[in-house]
Amino acid sequence: MRSRWARTGRSDAALRVASGYLVLAALAIALVLVVRDGSPWSYPGPWLSLPPLAALLMSAVVGLTFAAGLVVMTRVAVARFAWARRLHAELRPVARDLTFGQILLLAGLSSLGEELLFRGLLTPLLGVLPSGILFGLAHQMRGPSRWVWVGWAMGVGVGLGALFAATGSLVGPLLAHAVVNAVNLSYLRDHDPDVPA
């Protein structure tokens, strides 16, 4: 298994980050069990009154549709706007040396940890908008594009929180988050906006 990760000098860093997200997921589950009644996988009193299977399916379909929209918006923004190309260039070093396996691991575990914390724990306690704002603020970075990235993450956080609150299922936000992270990490790794196509 070690040879699969040995492609880059960043393999240890990727594994540490993935482990951190796993710890975050466990901490979020523990906090949900202590702080609120119910499971982190379901929203208490969802906006829509749906049978459990219908809620899960709707959450998954809307989540995957939301993810597809975000991926397309990312591509269009990077192709058309200087601010998006600058953000892409500033984020690119994070993904440049990742292998496909590392991207899948990071996308899956970051989705799990962040969704359990921000949606499973904070959205029922604080509401959709405050938890989305905290999600955006948690995505701080250095550089001129800092607030663009925070604003983008806030918008995504509010969308994922609304999906969770509407359907009552965390499945859609988890799927959306994982797909967006996996596809956009691959895009960051493989696409240099300064090189003409």
Side-chain angles (χ1 to χ4, degrees):
M1 175 164 162
R2 189 82 174 141
S3 64
R4 182 188 303 169
W5 296 93
R7 182 180 143 201
T8 70
R10 294 192 156 202
S11 60
D12 289 339
L15 288 173
R16 281 194 303 274
V17 170
S19 298
Y21 280 121
L22 199 55
V23 169
L24 179 65
L27 179 64
I29 290 171
L31 285 171
V32 167
L33 295 174
V34 169
V35 173
R36 59 171 269 238
D37 292 332
S39 156
W41 307 103
S42 60
Y43 187 84
W47 299 346
L48 301 174
S49 181
L50 299 169
L53 182 58
L56 188 141
L57 290 173
M58 177 179 257
S59 181
V61 168
V62 174
L64 291 172
T65 304
F66 185 63
L70 289 173
V71 166
V72 169
M73 285 173 52
T74 300
R75 302 307 183 277
V76 169
V78 170
R80 291 182 171 226
F81 303 111
W83 60 264
R85 283 189 293 280
R86 188 170 45 251
L87 175 61
H88 184 93
E90 289 176 31
L91 289 172
R92 194 159 187 256
V94 171
R96 190 173 318 170
D97 296 326
L98 294 175
T99 65
F100 182 67
Q102 290 168 333
I103 286 172
L104 290 180
L105 183 69
L106 288 172
L109 291 179
S110 66
S111 170
L112 182 67
E114 290 181 358
E115 289 308 312
L116 284 169
L117 176 64
F118 290 99
R119 259 55 73 188
L121 174 65
L122 295 179
T123 298
L125 292 177
L126 304 176
V128 170
L129 187 59
S131 65
I133 290 170
L134 289 174
F135 180 72
L137 292 173
H139 285 76
Q140 292 286 326
M141 59 178 256
R142 291 187 179 134
S145 298
R146 171 188 207 165
W147 295 110
V148 172
W149 182 234
V150 167
W152 177 268
M154 280 183 189
V156 170
V158 169
L160 294 173
L163 174 59
F164 181 45
T167 64
S169 173
L170 195 62
V171 169
L174 277 166
L175 286 173
H177 199 149
V179 168
V180 168
N181 282 2
V183 174
N184 282 349
L185 279 172
S186 298
Y187 184 60
L188 281 171
R189 180 192 66 184
D190 299 337
H191 177 70
D192 185 349
D194 294 328
V195 176

